[in-house]
């Protein structure tokens, strides 16, 4: 069995033009995140819990964009729309797996900021390298356990020959809707995953920042308050960029078929896999002085030649 990914339905004539910014953003995402990982791995001053988690976020961004963008560009440039059932299911699994893992990493980063601001004297004692390693392993294992059932949920369905997916990449409900079988289980499990895993991550992130704000506003100095909140600004920006389009795409795909034009939420879904990966290293590079300093040091020999 093979499928046909048609790209962005209704905008096929604009595929070439749409591909230009997507290709640019994908290249920037790759270069930016790989360079960020390189800096964190090679510079001892950046091997702190916050930056180790940031390197995991950068790795997830590279994997997410690479799992989707090359096929999208192949569709837009070469009309290479065919994809086997196995490849489609594999792409589906990795997209959902990386998304859930990235959500867990963002939660871990919120916990990092909570400990840094609420318990600064115990920060290094609480968030040791061993603890960070266990957090990352837990995020990966949780993501695998949550997303592995998606494979069985699409394999159990009966398909009747429909093979056109109105999307640029494969995702769970896109495959399930090709079946002539009852997909209520797929819908319920997808909603459950969104609400109980990613949704709970958001609840815990909000809880962390609520406690951070309570601690910050107990500080008498406005300068100290601003400095403490400024350490969280990059993370807050990344959270908004990550969750807002993800949930728009998720709920539009399930409930917004009659109110939101299909090409709009497919376009948003396409941008989602390249825009946050592109912006994340830029945000941390602009907002984090330690990373700025290391970037300047890295390129200073070039500037002095």
């Amino acid at each position: 069995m093979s499928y046909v990914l048609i790209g962005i339905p209704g905008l096929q004539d604009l595929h070439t033009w749409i591909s230009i910014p997507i290709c640019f953003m994908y290249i920037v995402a790759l270069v930016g995140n790989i360079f960020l990982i390189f800096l964190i791995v090679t510079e001892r001053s950046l091997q702190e819990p916050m930056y180790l988690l940031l390197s995991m976020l950068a790795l997830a961004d590279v994997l997410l964009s690479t799992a989707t963008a090359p096929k999208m560009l192949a569709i837009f440039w070469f009309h290479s729309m065919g994809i086997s059932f196995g490849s489609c299911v594999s792409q589906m699994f990795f997209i959902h797996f990386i998304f859930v893992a990235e959500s867990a990493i963002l939660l871990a980063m919120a916990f990092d900021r909570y400990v840094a601001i609420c318990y600064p004297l115990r920060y290094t004692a609480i968030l040791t390298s061993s603890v960070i390693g266990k957090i990352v392993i837990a995020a990966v294992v949780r993501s695998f356990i949550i997303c592995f059932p998606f494979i069985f949920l699409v394999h159990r369905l009966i398909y009747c020959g429909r093979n056109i997916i109105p999307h640029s990449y494969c995702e769970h409900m896109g495959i399930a809707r090709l079946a002539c079988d009852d997909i209520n289980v797929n819908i319920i499990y997808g909603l459950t995953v969104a609400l109980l895993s990613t949704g709970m991550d958001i609840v815990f992130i909000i809880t962390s920042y609520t406690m951070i704000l309570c601690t910050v506003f107990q500080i008498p100095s406005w300068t100290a308050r601003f400095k403490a909140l400024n350490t969280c600004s990059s993370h807050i920006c990344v959270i908004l960029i990550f969750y807002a389009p993800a949930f728009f795409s998720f709920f539009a795909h399930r409930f917004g078929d009659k109110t939101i034009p299909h090409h709009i939420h497919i376009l948003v879904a396409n941008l989602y896999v390249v825009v946050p990966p592109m912006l994340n290293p830029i945000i941390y590079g602009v907002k984090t002085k330690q990373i700025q300093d290391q970037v300047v040091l890295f390129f200073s020999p070039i500037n002095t030649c």
Side-chain angles (χ1 to χ4, degrees):
M1 183 189 300
S2 62
Y3 293 140
V4 176
L5 294 164
I6 64 172
I8 304 173
L11 298 180
Q12 285 90 338
D13 293 339
L14 299 176
H15 275 177
T16 302
W17 294 106
I18 293 171
S19 71
I20 295 172
I22 288 179
C23 180
F24 173 77
M25 289 185 283
Y26 175 56
I27 292 171
V28 173
L30 277 185
V31 173
N33 283 291
I34 290 173
F35 180 65
L36 186 60
I37 294 169
F38 172 78
L39 275 184
I40 293 171
V41 170
T42 57
E43 295 296 335
R44 291 184 62 86
S45 62
L46 294 179
Q47 292 180 8
E48 299 176 4
M50 172 183 169
Y51 301 111
L52 293 175
L53 290 171
L54 179 56
S55 68
M56 294 297 103
L57 182 70
L59 178 61
D61 283 336
V62 169
L63 295 176
L64 178 63
S65 57
T66 302
T68 52
K71 182 60 181 177
M72 287 163 49
L73 294 174
I75 294 169
F76 296 157
W77 286 342
F78 310 116
H79 304 288
S80 177
M81 300 179 179
I83 186 170
S84 68
F85 179 75
S87 298
C88 195
V89 172
S90 298
Q91 186 185 51
M92 172 207 73
F93 170 77
F94 282 110
I95 290 171
H96 293 300
F97 170 80
I98 296 166
F99 174 81
V100 176
E102 193 161 347
S103 178
I105 293 169
L106 289 174
L107 172 59
M109 294 174 78
F111 177 68
D112 167 82
R113 292 299 83 205
Y114 164 72
V115 175
I117 292 174
C118 298
Y119 302 97
L121 299 179
R122 298 175 57 195
Y123 178 70
T124 54
I126 295 173
L127 291 176
T128 62
S129 298
S130 174
V131 170
I132 295 299
K134 290 175 182 176
I135 289 173
V136 172
I137 292 172
V140 172
V141 171
R142 185 193 78 151
S143 183
F144 181 84
I145 292 172
I146 288 172
C147 296
F148 194 66
F150 282 129
I151 298 174
F152 294 99
L153 287 174
V154 295
H155 270 286
R156 74 179 183 86
L157 296 173
I158 299 173
Y159 299 92
C160 305
R162 289 185 295 173
N163 68 338
I164 296 177
I165 300 177
H167 211 311
S168 303
Y169 55 82
C170 298
E171 52 87 40
H172 175 229
M173 288 308 300
I175 299 174
R177 285 181 171 173
L178 295 178
C180 51
D181 208 351
D182 183 11
I183 62 170
N184 283 332
V185 174
N186 299 67
I187 295 172
I188 292 170
Y189 186 76
L191 285 171
T192 303
V193 166
L195 295 175
L196 294 186
S197 63
T198 310
M200 289 304 296
D201 288 346
I202 294 174
V203 170
F204 287 131
I205 288 171
I206 292 173
T207 303
S208 296
Y209 274 102
T210 301
M211 291 188 287
I212 286 171
L213 288 174
C214 290
T215 300
V216 167
F217 285 113
Q218 291 175 2
I219 302 173
S221 168
W222 278 98
T223 303
R225 289 183 188 180
F226 177 78
K227 185 177 179 181
L229 290 174
N230 192 50
T231 64
C232 302
S233 59
S234 300
H235 185 238
I236 292 171
C237 290
V238 169
I239 287 171
L240 294 175
I241 292 170
F242 178 78
Y243 286 114
F247 274 92
F248 170 84
S249 180
F250 176 84
F251 288 109
H253 200 65
R254 284 160 176 78
F255 308 114
D257 286 349
K258 295 180 180 179
T259 57
I260 301 172
H262 193 59
H263 66 271
I264 295 296
H265 66 77
I266 297 300
L267 184 60
V268 170
N270 286 353
L271 293 175
Y272 169 72
V273 297
V274 288
V275 173
M278 176 191 70
L279 291 179
N280 288 350
I282 296 174
I283 290 170
Y284 273 97
V286 170
K287 300 289 289 182
T288 309
K289 188 177 184 301
Q290 293 91 327
I291 294 177
Q292 289 178 9
D293 293 341
Q294 292 304 325
V295 171
V296 171
L297 285 174
F298 182 83
F299 287 107
S300 58
I302 296 177
N303 294 331
T304 56
C305 290

